[in-house]
């Protein structure tokens, strides 16, 4: 019984991911990819403190060269900066710049109608409960993936 329920949950998550990616792609600036936006979102929302390019490669499950290339594109546009770590002067960590933050916020402002429609699905308590359950599932899956 639980297996069947979890299959339905995973199917819904997969459909949601596809729909969200399609909608996000529609509102992203033309020179910003979903992967780049995902990295920006991670930088905005991380509670781990500054992370190195290597840390980000591990988190996003890509090679270091792929992460370096992604960061170079964002850095060339002034949306991220690599700065010397305060903890280890030999290491560099990634920060979202003010321009990057503005781009990130701009995407969400273009999603405002979508978010308002979703908000009609429940009151604050119900939406918070949905968020908490999804967050718990995500954290579990991250641990399973070794993140």
């Amino acid at each position: 019984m639980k297996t069947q329920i979890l299959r339905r949950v995973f199917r819904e998550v997969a459909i949601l991911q596809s729909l969200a990616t399609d909608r996000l792609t529609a509102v992203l600036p033309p020179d910003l990819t979903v992967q780049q936006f995902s990295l920006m979102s991670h930088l905005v929302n991380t509670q781990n403190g500054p992370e190195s390019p290597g840390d980000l490669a591990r988190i996003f499950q890509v090679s270091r060269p792929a992460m370096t290339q992604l960061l170079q594109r964002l850095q060339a546009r002034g949306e991220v900066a690599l700065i010397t770590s305060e903890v280890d002067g030999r290491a560099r960590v990634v920060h979202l710049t003010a321009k990057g933050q503005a781009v990130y916020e701009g995407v969400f402002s273009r999603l405002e109608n979508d978010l308002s429609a979703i908000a009609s699905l429940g009151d604050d308590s119900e939406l918070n409960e949905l968020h908490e359950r999804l967050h718990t599932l995500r954290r579990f899956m991250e641990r399973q993936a070794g993140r």
Side-chain angles (χ1 to χ4, degrees):
M1 179 70 167
K2 243 183 190 178
T3 302
Q4 292 302 319
I5 294 168
L6 291 174
R7 285 181 181 185
R8 292 194 317 256
V9 168
F10 269 80
R11 185 179 63 237
E12 294 300 323
V13 168
I15 293 168
L16 282 170
Q17 188 271 335
S18 177
L19 292 168
T21 299
D22 289 347
R23 186 63 196 121
L24 181 60
T25 300
V27 300
L28 287 176
D31 59 344
L32 189 68
T33 67
V34 170
Q35 188 176 29
Q36 290 167 341
F37 181 78
S38 295
L39 176 61
M40 294 169 87
S41 183
H42 175 79
L43 295 173
V44 167
N45 294 300
T46 189
Q47 297 175 0
N48 300 332
E51 293 167 312
S52 72
D55 293 335
L56 293 170
R58 181 184 49 77
I59 290 165
F60 281 86
Q61 296 182 324
V62 298
S63 67
R64 285 177 183 243
M67 180 56 63
T68 297
Q69 188 175 43
L70 191 149
L71 289 170
Q72 285 172 340
R73 288 185 185 135
L74 292 173
Q75 191 175 22
R77 292 197 308 262
E79 295 162 349
V80 300
L82 277 79
I83 63 170
T84 302
S85 170
E86 293 177 7
V87 177
D88 178 356
R90 300 168 294 163
R92 293 173 50 157
V93 293
V94 181
H95 285 273
L96 194 64
T97 64
K99 181 179 179 184
Q101 181 73 38
V103 169
Y104 175 82
E105 293 299 332
V107 169
F108 275 103
S109 70
R110 290 186 292 282
L111 286 172
E112 202 57 45
N113 289 339
D114 298 275
L115 298 177
S116 293
I118 292 168
S120 70
L121 294 175
D123 62 26
D124 286 356
S125 173
E126 292 168 318
L127 293 173
N128 275 325
E129 182 179 344
L130 174 61
H131 172 260
E132 288 302 317
R133 289 177 183 262
L134 290 171
H135 181 77
T136 299
L137 177 60
R138 177 179 63 91
R139 296 297 296 169
F140 174 79
M141 291 180 74
E142 285 176 338
R143 284 191 303 275
Q144 293 296 104
R147 292 174 162 192

